[in-house]
């Protein structure tokens, strides 16, 4: 029945003759969902928590060693160390108390670590704890943050890897293998609990002036070994776009499975080094592997030698599925993130005018996009 034919509110006459109306109760507000963010005090997790608080449509609880700093409002914090024995039991008790609708698991190390056992316990076994506790507590949704590096850098990789391609990282690369194992725990969870919605977001490595991971250090090194005869294409994802992809995933509970989260555009590794002002010293690739490994063992390198595969071979991914299913559109290209980071750190005091260099790079990128994607609308039109 429409509002025009609804009954008038009932009225009651009191002893003093005053009429008191009892208005018809309105519809009850939709309950707010609760989101648990593991690793919510870290660089990546804190940005997600801040975005969720600014939106104001979710209750957010951070599971981490410490509460996140500089939040725009109150955020609940529960202590959790996924490296402690019986962490799954502790997490299970916390989930029973908080009763979240979604877990976003971002408690991970995103750079290789000399403490390989600690990294494995956090990145791989930590994911096992999360999915085990979520299954016991019957949490309906879990979002796992992963990395696009799980595809592996191979000489026969296509120009853009999709979610259908096999995961083929080098078995000796323990840093990447931990993420592969974490994804295996996610797939096992889906088999055991088919009623649970699981989303795996494979993020391209992040890059911005605030990021301090191993790839940023590698790009920013004044002198670096390059593999003679190899210049692979690379991608760089801005953290704001990574958070945007997570928000899109949260808003689409019906979307399940794996999604590549990548920017538009690619750059040759040599161009990235040029923007950062890094001098590449080309050496034969067997020697480069040995040099990177020696620096790693000596404690002055940023990655083990086997990880130099990603400086030799192609490992770039397509974001088409995330666009079509999640509605995610990156706002910054690889070139945008590289230029922003390089300018913030090394744009002043160069012999080459950085503005001229950036303008030339954008013109070349525009010409390339017009040639490769002639029908794709420009980002300016898409934004309008």
């Amino acid at each position: 029945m429409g509002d025009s034919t609804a009954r008038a509110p009932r009225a009651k006459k009191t002893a003093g003759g005053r009429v008191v109306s009892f208005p018809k109760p309105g519809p009850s507000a939709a309950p707010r969902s609760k989101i648990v963010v593991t690793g919510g005090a870290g660089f990546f997790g804190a940005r997600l928590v801040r975005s969720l608080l600014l939106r104001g449509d979710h209750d957010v609880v951070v599971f981490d060693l410490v509460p996140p700093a500089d939040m725009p409002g109150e955020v609940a914090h529960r202590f959790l160390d996924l490296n402690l024995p019986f962490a799954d039991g502790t997490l299970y008790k916390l989930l029973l108390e908080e009763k979240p609708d979604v877990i976003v698991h971002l408690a991970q190390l995103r750079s290789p670590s000399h403490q390989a056992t600690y990294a494995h316990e956090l990145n791989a076994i930590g994911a096992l704890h999360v999915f085990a506790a979520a299954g016991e507590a019957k949490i309906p949704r879990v979002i796992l943050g992963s990395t696009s590096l799980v595809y592996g850098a191979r000489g026969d990789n296509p120009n853009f890897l999709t979610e259908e391609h096999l995961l083929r990282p080098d078995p000796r690369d323990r840093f990447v293998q931990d993420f592969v194992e974490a994804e295996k725990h996610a797939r096992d969870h889906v088999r055991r609990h088919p009623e649970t919605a699981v989303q795996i977001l494979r993020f391209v490595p992040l890059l911005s002036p605030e990021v301090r991971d191993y790839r940023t250090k590698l790009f920013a090194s004044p002198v670096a070994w390059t593999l003679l005869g190899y210049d692979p294409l690379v991608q760089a994802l801005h953290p704001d776009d990574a958070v945007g992809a997570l928000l899109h995933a949260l808003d689409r509970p019906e979307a399940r499975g794996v999604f590549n989260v990548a920017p538009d555009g690619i750059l040759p590794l040599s161009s990235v080094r040029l923007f950062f002002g890094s001098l590449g010293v080309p050496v034969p690739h067997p020697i480069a592997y040995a040099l990177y490994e020696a620096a790693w063992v000596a404690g002055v390198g940023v990655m083990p030698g086997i990880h130099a595969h990603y400086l030799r071979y192609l490992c770039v991914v397509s974001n088409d599925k995330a666009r079509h299913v999640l509605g995610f559109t990156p706002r910054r290209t690889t070139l945008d993130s590289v230029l922003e980071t390089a300018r913030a750190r090394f744009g002043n005091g160069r012999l080459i005018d950085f503005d001229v260099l950036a303008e030339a790079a954008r013109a070349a990128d525009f010409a390339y996009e017009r040639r490769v994607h002639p029908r794709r609308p420009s980002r300016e039109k898409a934004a309008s």
Side-chain angles (χ1 to χ4, degrees), residues 229-306:
Y230 296 93
D231 189 17
L233 299 172
V234 297
Q235 294 169 304
L237 180 68
H238 196 279
D240 290 346
D241 281 333
V243 171
L246 281 169
L247 295 176
H248 277 78
L250 285 167
D251 290 339
R252 286 161 177 80
E254 73 284 356
R256 305 185 183 192
V258 180
F259 300 92
N260 294 332
V261 180
D264 293 331
I266 50 179
L267 282 176
L269 179 59
S270 59
S271 297
V272 178
R273 292 193 183 281
L274 173 65
F275 294 132
F276 276 85
S278 176
L279 176 63
V281 179
V283 296
H285 68 268
I287 298 177
Y289 281 97
L291 290 172
Y292 278 113
E293 181 64 22
W296 177 255
V297 172
V300 296
V302 297
M303 66 180 192
I306 197 62

Side-chain angles (χ1 to χ4, degrees), residues 22 26 116 121-122 134 137 174 203 223 234 290 318-319 321 331 378:
F22 296 91
E121 289 290 327
L122 180 61
R174 298 184 64 180
F203 298 101
V223 179
V234 297
S318 167
N319 61 17
K321 183 179 178 183
R331 303 187 62 173
S378 66

Side-chain angles (χ1 to χ4, degrees), residues 16-17 23 36 70 80 99 163 174 187 197 211 213 254 267 277 291 316-317 321 323 331 372 374:
V36 159
D70 302 326
L80 177 67
K99 296 181 175 60
E163 292 82 356
R174 298 184 64 180
R187 292 191 297 272
V211 173
D213 69 352
E254 73 284 356
L267 282 176
L291 290 172
V316 297
V317 300
K321 183 179 178 183
R323 282 179 178 275
R331 303 187 62 173
V372 176

